[in-house]
Amino acid sequence: MKDVLKASAVLAGVGVLSYSVRALLVEERSIGSKLAEDIIRFVNFDLEDVDEKMLADNFKENRKEHKIPEGILRSEIDISQQAGMKVYRMQPRQKHGSRRVLYLHGGGYIHQPSLFHWMFLDRMVEDTGLEFIVPIYPKTPEFTYDDAYDAVDQLYRELLDEDPEVPVLMGDSAGGGLALGFAQWLASMQLPKPHGLILISPWLDVTMTHPEMKKYAALDPMLKPDNLKVIGRIWAGNADPTYYKVSPIYGSLEGLPKIHLFVGEHEVCLPDARKFAGMLEAAGAPYSYYEYPKMNHVFPQYPIREGAHARRQMQEILKDWGQVAYNV
């Protein structure tokens, strides 16, 4: 029996070593990122088909009051009701600047913030010393983009009434698409534009029609284009899915603040992110583009080496946007 256990331990050790060597030397990525991607591929519920049951379940779930799991955050949380939404204001224990960040979370316009969202936001709050404002905006299938824009617009105006200093606008995935579309709308209405935009794996085109989409769908462990197309059509309501408020890649680039775009190579959002970066370049619009090899969707949220590097870059961006102090 002891010999069997020893042999099993040796085999397990060889397996772990082989896995690590493949990640580090063959795929040239951190072991953590490889493990995270494999876990996502194994347990991810977003790969399930969008059907009546899935939509009904999300309808019920989104009607529940969203709550952050207790005991996971270091930052101070203030909760309020604004613009018909539950709004979380996350304050650092040591504040190092007056600028605020309005953060629009991802989730395919159908899911509420995940545990990884809150852990990511908590790190950003503490490491930048800035206040992050996170609204739980209206979701589909009960609501459409129109409801979300109305709510975010009202919140944005209330924030400016409190303090005329415009916030930085950030968002990931669907929230990144909403953040960009909202900034485009502000520009079109000649309203005060955000100080800057930080977009993480933004969902820029709900039609998912880029010719390279199939190629990257095979690499993405999290997202399935066919599911996203269905959700995107529901989110669009009576509007054309190519309307810029639904798919901001079709919107105007005039009058936008500087955009910082983060994306990974193993995600279906990559083709449109590259296309959008090319559009910004051609238009002479201010932007920076950060593409990470082998990384999956919204990788900066995960406790992996590459995610930590991206977070430090975001912290430097916020520092450059007029912050007086910065924690490493």
Side-chain angles (χ1 to χ4, degrees), residues 12-31:
V14 170
V16 171
L17 179 61
S18 176
Y19 188 91
S20 302
V21 168
R22 178 174 179 79
L24 293 171
L25 301 182
V26 179
E27 298 189 16
E28 297 182 326
R29 59 192 296 185
S30 71
I31 299 169

Side-chain angles (χ1 to χ4, degrees), residues 209-247:
T209 53
H210 194 287
E212 292 188 327
M213 193 61 61
K214 186 175 181 180
K215 171 185 175 182
Y216 288 96
L219 298 172
D220 195 320
M222 186 181 297
L223 302 175
K224 188 176 179 180
D226 288 345
N227 290 350
L228 294 177
K229 287 180 185 178
V230 175
I231 296 171
R233 285 196 297 269
I234 299 171
W235 179 248
N238 295 323
D240 189 317
T242 62
Y243 180 42
Y244 82 91
K245 285 188 174 182
V246 179
S247 297

Side-chain angles (χ1 to χ4, degrees), residues 32-240:
S33 71
K34 171 67 173 169
L35 182 60
E37 185 172 282
D38 289 343
I39 292 173
I40 290 168
R41 194 180 299 278
F42 182 72
V43 304
N44 183 38
F45 55 84
D46 282 331
L47 295 178
E48 297 177 3
D49 290 336
V50 179
D51 54 22
E52 290 185 7
K53 182 180 183 304
M54 182 268 199
L55 294 173
D57 288 344
N58 277 277
F59 180 93
K60 294 177 183 177
E61 186 64 28
N62 292 339
R63 283 208 159 189
K64 297 177 183 177
E65 182 183 1
H66 181 75
K67 295 182 179 179
I68 303 175
E70 294 183 4
I72 66 168
L73 305 184
R74 299 165 296 169
S75 49
E76 297 178 3
I77 307 295
D78 179 64
I79 303 172
S80 62
Q81 287 289 331
Q82 289 184 258
M85 302 179 288
K86 189 173 188 178
V87 177
Y88 291 88
R89 292 177 180 244
M90 306 179 69
Q91 295 276 359
R93 289 172 296 179
Q94 291 186 322
K95 195 166 185 178
H96 293 290
S98 60
R99 194 175 301 287
R100 300 164 296 174
V101 179
L102 176 57
Y103 192 94
L104 302 178
H105 69 85
Y109 297 125
I110 197 167
H111 299 302
Q112 303 292 31
S114 70
L115 176 64
F116 288 106
H117 277 109
W118 292 118
M119 294 174 67
F120 163 75
L121 288 166
D122 188 53
R123 283 192 293 264
M124 291 299 295
V125 168
E126 291 300 325
D127 289 343
T128 62
L130 302 180
E131 177 185 14
F132 276 60
I133 301 165
V134 188
I136 309 301
Y137 58 86
K139 308 293 191 307
T140 205
E142 183 173 8
F143 301 103
T144 70
Y145 79 94
D146 222 6
D147 302 293
Y149 270 78
D150 286 346
V152 173
D153 173 38
Q154 185 179 336
L155 174 61
Y156 190 78
R157 292 171 187 266
E158 289 179 10
L159 292 177
L160 293 184
D161 286 342
E162 294 174 11
D163 184 344
E165 180 78 26
V166 291
V168 172
L169 192 55
M170 285 184 69
D172 70 274
S173 193
L178 179 57
L180 175 58
F182 182 66
Q184 291 170 327
W185 178 78
L186 289 173
S188 72
M189 299 298 291
Q190 297 184 328
L191 294 170
K193 63 184 179 182
H195 192 74
L197 278 167
I198 299 178
L199 308 178
I200 305 167
S201 300
W203 190 12
L204 300 172
D205 185 357
V206 304
T207 71
M208 307 299 287
T209 53
H210 194 287
E212 292 188 327
M213 193 61 61
K214 186 175 181 180
K215 171 185 175 182
Y216 288 96
L219 298 172
D220 195 320
M222 186 181 297
L223 302 175
K224 188 176 179 180
D226 288 345
N227 290 350
L228 294 177
K229 287 180 185 178
V230 175
I231 296 171
R233 285 196 297 269
I234 299 171
W235 179 248
N238 295 323
D240 189 317

